[in-house]
Amino acid sequence: MTAHYADLLADPAVEAVLILTPARLHFTQALAAVRAGKHVYVQKPMTETLQEALLLEREVARQGVVLVAAPGQALNPLLGRLRDLLQGGAVGTPFWVHAPAPAWGGRELEFGANPAWYFREGAGPFRDQAVYALHLLLELFGPVRRVCAMQTVTVKRRSWSGHPFFVTGPDNVVSQLDFGDGLLATVGAQWCCGGPRAEPFQIGIYAVEGSIESRRYLGAWPITFEVRRTTGETTLLELQAGEVPALTDPHLSFVPHVWADLHHLIECIRAGREPLAGAAKARQVVEIIEAVDRAAETGETQEMGARA
């Protein structure tokens, strides 16, 4: 046991490091771990900037270590079946996806530790909540081509346990993503909702000959989709018990998708293979987040394509 990160990285008995710290620390801590030859699990988002993400991705390849980046939506087998169904034309051509992320909010926050850092520049609901939808959409539809967005600070002053603080980063963000081939997506995230709110990980896919909407969830994973066709036929696409070995008791009681991420890290280390939820996918998400910020600041649509 140590309180010093450098001591942990210097310990030859430590094979992997789990980085569960505030987002502003992810890059420096992950980079140090990778350069020390440690395998890494890093919470979302992987880094704050695209430049950091590119550097970390290159360093992972150079050191030959495994990096798994949350959230591991790619690990959900149901998404592969859903992707096959869409590509097979079961509901025709998708034209719009709706993925809101109405997370916790209100002026007086109920939280175990001081959450003020969530409301500052470099953090915010889009980085913390919309990342689930972004990882999911990349799995289903591939890279984003263009981004436009708007964002505001809706609740400018909040408090935690009687301690007031000012909100300095956007707490209400709406983006439009262009995947090409006529497919647009609306992805939003906010920390303002004070009343009943929708499931934060819901997704709706709307196509020419039908629609697909998520219905049940296990942590951040949609595990049931309802497929409706214009012919009137309705079917359910469901994740079956036992399909993901990591998602069993006692791991179902608390953030089960994180257990799946960690199980994947261990599997990849043991097998010496590239992770499905690795640095490359997380870098694409960081690029989208950065483009959303830039689009909201400038009022201009942003063309995608990673810049070194």
Side-chain angles (χ1 to χ4, degrees), residues 77-277:
L78 189 59
L79 294 189
R81 298 208 295 275
L82 179 57
R83 184 173 57 245
D84 292 343
L85 184 148
L86 287 165
Q87 292 177 350
V91 290
T93 303
F95 60 86
W96 184 53
V97 177
H98 184 223
W104 47 269
R107 296 181 188 277
E108 175 63 33
L109 302 173
E110 297 180 6
F111 210 69
N114 189 340
W117 70 268
Y118 279 105
F119 297 85
R120 294 172 182 152
E121 293 292 338
F126 204 82
R127 283 172 167 80
D128 189 69
Q129 293 293 304
V131 290
Y132 296 102
L134 296 177
H135 276 269
L136 188 151
L137 294 181
L138 289 174
E139 284 303 308
L140 293 178
F141 303 114
V144 173
R145 298 186 182 183
R146 298 188 303 161
V147 171
C148 59
M150 290 186 176
Q151 57 189 21
T152 66
V153 178
T154 298
V155 183
K156 297 177 174 59
R157 181 183 172 94
R158 299 175 188 260
S159 62
W160 172 76
S161 296
H163 303 289
F165 63 90
F166 288 99
V167 177
T168 57
D171 60 3
N172 184 20
V173 185
V174 177
S175 69
Q176 297 285 349
L177 312 180
D178 181 0
F179 286 88
D181 299 323
L183 176 61
L184 304 177
T186 302
V187 179
Q190 54 78 26
W191 279 337
C192 307
C193 189
R197 54 186 183 263
E199 164 62 48
F201 308 118
Q202 67 182 349
I203 180 173
I205 302 169
Y206 304 97
V208 173
E209 297 170 17
S211 63
I212 302 172
E213 295 179 335
S214 54
R215 288 289 180 255
R216 293 177 56 238
Y217 311 86
L218 183 61
W221 281 16
I223 58 171
T224 301
F225 287 94
E226 183 178 72
V227 181
R228 298 193 303 268
R229 298 172 175 84
T230 52
T231 58
E233 180 186 0
T234 299
T235 57
L236 292 180
L237 195 64
E238 297 184 281
L239 184 69
Q240 301 301 314
E243 282 193 77
V244 183
L247 300 187
T248 57
D249 289 332
H251 298 153
L252 298 180
S253 60
F254 180 72
V255 286
H257 54 281
V258 174
W259 289 112
D261 292 352
L262 298 179
H263 190 267
H264 186 57
L265 174 69
I266 294 169
E267 284 184 325
C268 290
I269 293 171
R270 287 176 174 172
R273 67 170 186 260
E274 290 292 316
L276 297 174

Side-chain angles (χ1 to χ4, degrees), residues 284-300:
Q284 292 181 60
V285 169
V286 171
E287 184 184 7
I288 295 170
I289 293 171
E290 192 172 273
V292 165
D293 281 343
R294 196 164 55 247
E297 290 170 3
T298 63
E300 298 176 353

